[in-house]
Amino acid sequence: MTANRRKVALTNSRVTDGDETLAVLSAASSSEPAVAADVPTLARSAAVLSNTADQLLPQSDSAVEATRLIRGRITDTQGQPLPGATVQASGAAASTATAADGTFSLRVPKPVAQVQVSSLGFLARQQPLNQDTVVQLTLALTPDSQQLNEVVMVRREKAPAPVAVDALPAGGYPAFKQYLKDSLDYPMKALEDRKEGTVQLSFTVATDGTVQDVKVLRRVSEEIDTEAMRLLREGPKWFPAIRNGRRVAHPVRISIPFRLEEH
């Protein structure tokens, strides 16, 4: 019994409080019977083991369960990223700013139904959210011509010239080209006649963004030309050009390719 106490004391002297359980288990596994003097040590070690186990058990995070994650990317109408744009949860304090590549990640309470996205020089946008746990957003902000007109004079220096912006399809030209590829319905007669080529259209984007005065500059066939004009009229909305801080009507030319190998 005396030898057993010495083993326990020696083991306890070489370990920290957190390892005390190992010392007791080592003593308990000895072939010699435990003595009454070791009972306090066993009780204390059992308490340490219980506390450690409680800390290792996974705990439910009610705060995380009551929220959902919004991720996305904010660009201008040309598809260029907007760093520093603010993404604010409507009716909640949650907000964040976009990174250099226009991306963001924001956790909001589940009841939040929409977010507001804003950036200096652009019109703020309210975006409704779906009910998914993880929401993916890709938004393009429109230049704000009124903000472009506001100039703060410093030291009576010459005011910078307002930014000139050409007429653009919503989402920029990369998104517009993808729309043409996805929505093009190759005319059956053109397929039978093995007709292909590139249609060139000219039109005017009015100050309200409507497409007007559409003309075919380069024709391929009647059926293909008609399909090209349909794609333009049913396509994404256009944003008017801005000159000297004002919206102006602006002529635009686009080319729409028709390739047989793609159909």
Side-chain angles (χ1 to χ4, degrees):
M1 292 176 62
T2 303
N4 189 40
R5 292 195 187 94
R6 289 176 180 174
K7 288 181 182 180
V8 173
L10 179 59
T11 304
N12 288 339
S13 66
R14 293 180 180 177
V15 297
T16 63
D17 290 342
D19 294 327
E20 191 173 52
T21 301
L22 296 177
V24 174
L25 292 178
S26 176
S29 64
S30 173
S31 59
E32 297 179 14
V35 295
D38 294 328
V39 172
T41 301
L42 288 170
R44 188 168 60 256
S45 300
V48 171
L49 181 60
S50 177
N51 292 337
T52 304
D54 290 342
Q55 294 175 5
L56 294 177
L57 287 175
Q59 300 178 359
S60 61
D61 191 345
S62 58
V64 173
E65 293 176 356
T67 63
R68 53 185 174 150
L69 185 63
I70 304 173
R71 293 173 177 166
R73 187 167 182 263
I74 308 302
T75 68
D76 59 16
T77 51
Q78 291 181 311
Q80 296 301 312
L82 287 181
T86 300
V87 182
Q88 171 74 50
S90 298
S95 66
T96 189
T98 55
D101 60 354
T103 59
F104 72 92
S105 177
L106 177 64
R107 188 169 290 278
V108 303
K110 282 187 176 179
V112 171
Q114 64 180 7
V115 294
Q116 176 174 291
V117 182
S118 59
S119 182
L120 183 63
F122 293 84
L123 294 173
R125 179 169 174 178
Q126 296 281 351
Q127 178 63 33
L129 302 176
N130 57 35
Q131 299 301 317
D132 295 342
T133 302
V134 178
V135 182
Q136 295 287 347
L137 296 179
T138 301
L139 302 177
L141 298 186
T142 308
D144 187 349
S145 58
Q146 182 176 356
Q147 288 191 24
L148 293 175
N149 278 332
E150 296 176 355
V151 178
V152 178
M153 301 300 295
V154 179
R155 300 180 185 177
R156 296 185 179 181
E157 294 178 355
K158 182 179 179 181
V163 177
V165 180
D166 291 336
L168 293 170
Y173 277 105
F176 183 73
K177 289 181 180 179
Q178 187 63 43
Y179 155 75
L180 294 177
K181 181 179 179 180
D182 296 340
S183 303
L184 189 148
D185 186 9
Y186 215 105
M188 185 60 65
K189 188 175 186 307
L191 286 173
E192 294 172 352
D193 296 341
R194 308 300 295 172
K195 272 283 190 181
E196 66 176 7
T198 300
V199 179
Q200 188 177 73
L201 302 176
S202 71
F203 55 95
T204 299
V205 178
T207 55
D208 60 355
T210 57
V211 174
Q212 302 177 358
D213 193 24
V214 181
K215 297 178 181 178
V216 181
L217 300 182
R218 182 190 300 162
R219 300 180 179 275
V220 177
S221 71
E222 182 179 353
E223 296 79 14
I224 289 179
D225 297 345
T226 301
E227 173 63 10
M229 296 178 72
R230 181 194 72 81
L231 287 170
L232 174 63
R233 291 194 173 100
E234 297 181 5
K237 178 183 177 181
W238 284 76
F239 298 113
I242 297 176
R243 294 291 185 272
N244 296 321
R246 296 180 178 276
R247 297 183 180 187
V248 296
H250 188 68
V252 178
R253 290 187 181 186
I254 62 171
S255 296
I256 304 178
F258 287 75
R259 299 287 180 262
L260 290 171
E261 63 269 18
E262 297 177 0
H263 297 275

